[in-house]
Amino acid sequence: QVELVELGGGSVQVGESLTLTCTYSKNADCMGWFRQVPGKEREGVASCDDHGRINYADAVKDRFTIVKVNANNTLYLQMNNLKPEDSATYYCAADFDPPNFCFSRRSENWVYLMRGAKDVWGQGTPVTVSS
């Protein structure tokens, strides 16, 4: 059974930074970060695969950075210049069922590609940005 464990969420002020980490028990070629607020659909934030493909949602481009370090089984999300609209629960995702979401540049499609039987979600870590 694959496990994904997220850490690093918390409460910050507008303009501050946070780094989320996700440690994984088994590597997936395609991994990424999603976020969700109550009453809304989960949305893609950043994706990264082992072939160098990296994509970001337009809302976070130039502010967030995703890094995948297989040597220590960790996926990072560096979040800078945080805004109140970034407040959400952030989920790490590992896509084991092709086609995987790292092939798509359209982040609105990613959640639909994470519905395979082998795909894995972390438990989520909350982020709150206050003005």
Side-chain angles (χ1 to χ4, degrees):
Q1 186 172 347
V2 179
E3 276 196 330
L4 305 177
V5 180
E6 301 107 327
L7 291 174
S11 297
V12 296
Q13 300 292 313
V14 168
E16 293 186 339
S17 299
L18 272 178
T19 301
L20 306 182
T21 64
C22 169
T23 55
Y24 42 95
S25 60
K26 180 181 178 182
N27 178 49
D29 180 67
C30 172
M31 297 189 69
W33 292 93
F34 291 69
R35 65 187 182 188
Q36 188 171 23
V37 298
K40 294 187 70 176
E41 190 169 50
R42 194 167 295 186
E43 62 179 17
V45 174
S47 69
C48 177
D49 72 10
D50 289 340
H51 306 285
R53 256 183 299 260
I54 297 177
N55 288 299
Y56 296 97
D58 288 343
V60 306
K61 210 169 288 185
D62 300 326
R63 297 189 298 121
F64 289 13
T65 302
I66 186 171
V67 177
K68 190 170 184 277
V69 182
N70 290 333
N72 60 13
N73 283 18
T74 304
L75 183 72
Y76 301 90
L77 185 67
Q78 173 66 43
M79 305 186 294
N80 296 330
N81 190 21
L82 283 160
K83 304 177 181 181
E85 51 265 42
D86 295 318
S87 298
T89 297
Y90 283 71
Y91 296 89
C92 179
D95 193 335
F96 289 96
D97 261 332
N100 65 56
F101 63 86
C102 293
F103 281 98
S104 174
R105 293 186 178 185
R106 299 183 64 176
S107 61
E108 61 269 29
N109 294 336
W110 297 353
V111 69
Y112 303 109
L113 294 169
M114 267 296 293
R115 294 182 176 178
K118 299 177 184 177
D119 296 336
V120 181
W121 294 98
Q123 82 286 354
T125 184
V127 172
T128 303
V129 185
S130 303
S131 56

